[in-house]
Amino acid sequence: VLRVHLMPKRFALPSSEIEIVANNGDFVVAVKPSGLPTHPTLDNVKENLFRILEIQLGYKLFMTSRLDQMTAGLIVFAKSKSFQSQYNMWLASGQVQKFYRVLCERQPPLGSMVHYMHPGTTAPRKVSVQSLPKGKRCELIVTSREKHSTGFWLCEVQLMTGRTHQIRAQFAASGL
């Protein structure tokens, strides 16, 4: 099978090296800039954080999680398959937690939000408060909120489940 992309997606490359905030024998923690995909896609295997970091560091890395293209933040890459498995086990068991800072238009309620993501892969993702056949449970906790100088609300969100575009989908479904 030969697949030809006549109009491949292009992404702006960072003007300097990717910032590394931690680097030890097991993992690397890097700052992912907004606008750059975390991982290779079918039509673009070069312009992504994963590939850029492998070139910058000079060794193979393993994915532990992803951030959406437009999301900036810290991301962990494993240096071995065994640490990747261990880290993913820690994520699944709640030993490692993910926190996000989110800007939204309306004041969100503090506490847990539970929705169910509609099956399928089309964007934008849709969620419902009702349990759905084959729907995936989505839970997050709004741990803090404050009025931001931009007029938006700045929230800290703890992600309890990790679904694609989960925070955006849940906040949109809640009118935030």
Side-chain angles (χ1 to χ4, degrees):
V1 173
L2 176 64
R3 185 178 194 147
V4 177
H5 291 269
L6 300 176
M7 309 246 336
K9 294 179 185 173
R10 302 272 51 105
F11 301 97
L13 295 173
S15 58
S16 60
E17 285 194 338
I18 298 296
E19 182 182 354
I20 306 292
V21 297
N23 188 350
N24 67 23
D26 292 321
F27 61 85
V28 173
V29 180
V31 177
K32 181 200 163 303
S34 177
L36 186 67
T38 301
H39 57 89
T41 58
L42 284 174
D43 62 345
N44 190 328
V45 297
K46 294 181 180 181
E47 297 158 355
N48 59 79
L49 180 64
F50 182 75
R51 175 76 174 139
I52 292 167
L53 266 180
E54 284 190 329
I55 292 168
Q56 180 177 316
L57 296 170
Y59 49 80
K60 185 167 177 51
L61 295 172
F62 299 85
M63 299 286 296
T64 61
S65 58
R66 299 174 180 163
L67 289 175
D68 294 342
Q69 177 191 332
M70 295 313 295
T71 303
L74 299 177
I75 190 161
V76 177
F77 291 94
K79 290 185 172 182
S80 67
K81 195 78 172 147
S82 62
F83 185 79
Q84 178 191 39
S85 296
Q86 182 66 56
Y87 186 84
N88 287 336
M89 221 176 343
W90 291 338
L91 277 173
S93 68
Q95 291 177 284
V96 172
Q97 299 172 345
K98 293 181 180 183
F99 290 88
Y100 295 79
R101 291 190 327 173
V102 178
L103 286 173
C104 59
E105 291 181 351
R106 292 180 178 72
Q107 180 179 356
L110 292 173
S112 178
M113 295 172 73
V114 176
H115 291 87
Y116 297 87
M117 189 168 284
H118 292 247
T121 58
T122 58
R125 298 295 176 120
K126 293 184 181 178
V127 296
S128 169
V129 292
Q130 305 297 324
S131 181
L132 302 166
K134 297 185 182 180
K136 294 184 178 178
R137 187 174 188 277
C138 300
E139 182 179 3
L140 60 80
I141 299 172
V142 178
T143 59
S144 69
R145 64 180 182 221
E146 63 184 56
K147 196 74 165 174
H148 191 264
S149 61
T150 60
F152 291 95
W153 285 86
L154 177 62
C155 314
E156 182 172 281
V157 173
Q158 181 180 4
L159 203 55
M160 306 306 289
T161 55
R163 312 284 180 219
T164 302
H165 305 295
Q166 176 184 334
I167 297 171
R168 268 186 242 136
Q170 286 192 263
F171 272 47
S174 301
L176 302 172

